[in-house]
Amino acid sequence: MTEAPLGLLAELTHRCPLHCPYCSNPIELVQRADELDTATWQRVFDEGRELGVLQVHLSGGEPLARPDLPQLLAHASGLGCYTNLVTSGLGLTAERLADLVERGLDHVQLSVQDSDPGNANLIAGVKGYDRKLAAAALIKDAELPLTVNAVLHKANLDNIGGIIELAERMGADRLELANTQYYGWALRNRAALLPTREQLAAAGPVVQQAKQRLDGRMEIVYVVADYHEANPKPCMYGWGARQLTVAPNGDVLPCPAASVITTLPVQNVRRSSLAEIWYDSETFNAYRGTEWMREPCRSCPRKEIDFGGCRCQAFQLTGDAAATDPVCTLSPDHGLVQDILGAEIIPVRPELAMRRSV
Ligand code: SF4
Ligand code: FES
């Protein structure tokens, strides 16, 4: 039986002051004119809550770019949902934050690019380092729980110890150290972002030591570099299992990257209700559960653990979203990943294609 979703990732806009080359937003960004209006977002939250959603993640792009963010947040909070603002911190002022807190903001996730200010600004494509420190101070002053998120790649992995110290200085309650996943802009920049095995081997013990040292003070979540692993990640804990994503134009996706799977019909809140999309649509049912699996997944003891890996990655690398994720060493397509690692882990860093503005 299909369970109700727990979380709704609301990508309010693709507009963003940063240009991170690892952005998982699609290459074809949604234009401002195509964004859902305030009333439609509020209807989406109503439908999400009716469906069972308990957590609303207000994300983007940069959600602070939406002038109606306070109304949207108040609406989600008024429905009884836990609200999380996923932000770069740029554009956050004491006044705006106080207003959001007043309207029910529960948690903030703040991105950082590096502990080295020059490198951080280079990766972000904008001078944002100091403004992020200021944003963190505002969030702590407001006594909100703070998660710091750092996406890791070749250009910052060597500074992982510094990034952990930066999160400590910011007063983070939780730190997500997430090796880059290759979708959207990150896929375009893969050769520039893929870390070396040596970098990953050096980072592991740093994270382990920090976890022990900071136990009880700051939770550290380390997301491994999946191309280098033997087993794929349990992407989204299964397709259409726990969370749905609504893109700025109202497209409803089983995961933030799913628009890359061009063989599935596009679902949109302007045409269907969230309940219809979640329970009945071809898109959400395509890879739910384990019935859709072929060998080697079908008879594999790990199929309820990793769900065959990531459907978007399978499609991107093989052209078939029902294929076993090629990261898996049992996949007949595993050689594709080995070839990528062999060809693209190079000592020089090719020029980064910075994410465009909308
Ligand atoms: Fe996971 Fe499929 Fe690989 Fe088994 S064969 S480990 S279920 S991806
Ligand atoms: Fe889409 Fe993994 S990112 S299923």
Side-chain angles (χ1 to χ4, degrees), residues 250-263:
D251 284 353
V252 186
L253 304 163
C255 75
S259 62
V260 300
I261 305 180
T262 50
T263 46

Side-chain angles (χ1 to χ4, degrees), residues 16 38 79 108 141 199 270:
C16 186
T38 310
L79 292 166
V108 182
D141 284 350
Q199 282 183 300
R270 299 185 215 249

Side-chain angles (χ1 to χ4, degrees), residues 231-232 293 296-298 300-304 306-309 324-325 328-331:
N231 293 313
M293 290 179 177
C297 295
R298 180 170 276 273
C300 179
R302 286 184 59 85
K303 71 177 176 187
E304 305 274 3
D306 65 28
F307 315 104
T324 296
D325 186 335
C328 178
T329 47
L330 301 175
S331 159

Side-chain angles (χ1 to χ4, degrees), residues 227-297:
Y227 277 40
H228 296 74
E229 294 289 306
N231 293 313
K233 57 181 179 277
C235 201
M236 304 303 296
Y237 299 100
W239 182 267
R242 293 194 187 177
Q243 183 168 300
L244 44 78
T245 296
V246 182
N249 62 354
D251 284 353
V252 186
L253 304 163
C255 75
S259 62
V260 300
I261 305 180
T262 50
T263 46
L264 286 175
V266 176
Q267 309 298 328
N268 193 286
V269 294
R270 299 185 215 249
R271 294 190 296 273
S272 318
S273 72
L274 277 192
E276 286 166 336
I277 295 170
W278 178 261
Y279 286 113
D280 302 330
S281 71
E282 180 186 340
T283 307
F284 274 74
N285 282 310
Y287 309 114
R288 231 177 211 143
T290 54
E291 281 304 300
W292 58 273
M293 290 179 177
R294 301 191 295 250
E295 295 297 346
C297 295

Side-chain angles (χ1 to χ4, degrees), residues 39-50:
T40 310
W41 272 117
Q42 290 174 334
R43 171 173 66 79
V44 167
F45 295 157
D46 289 340
E47 292 182 2
R49 185 67 198 95
E50 276 169 36

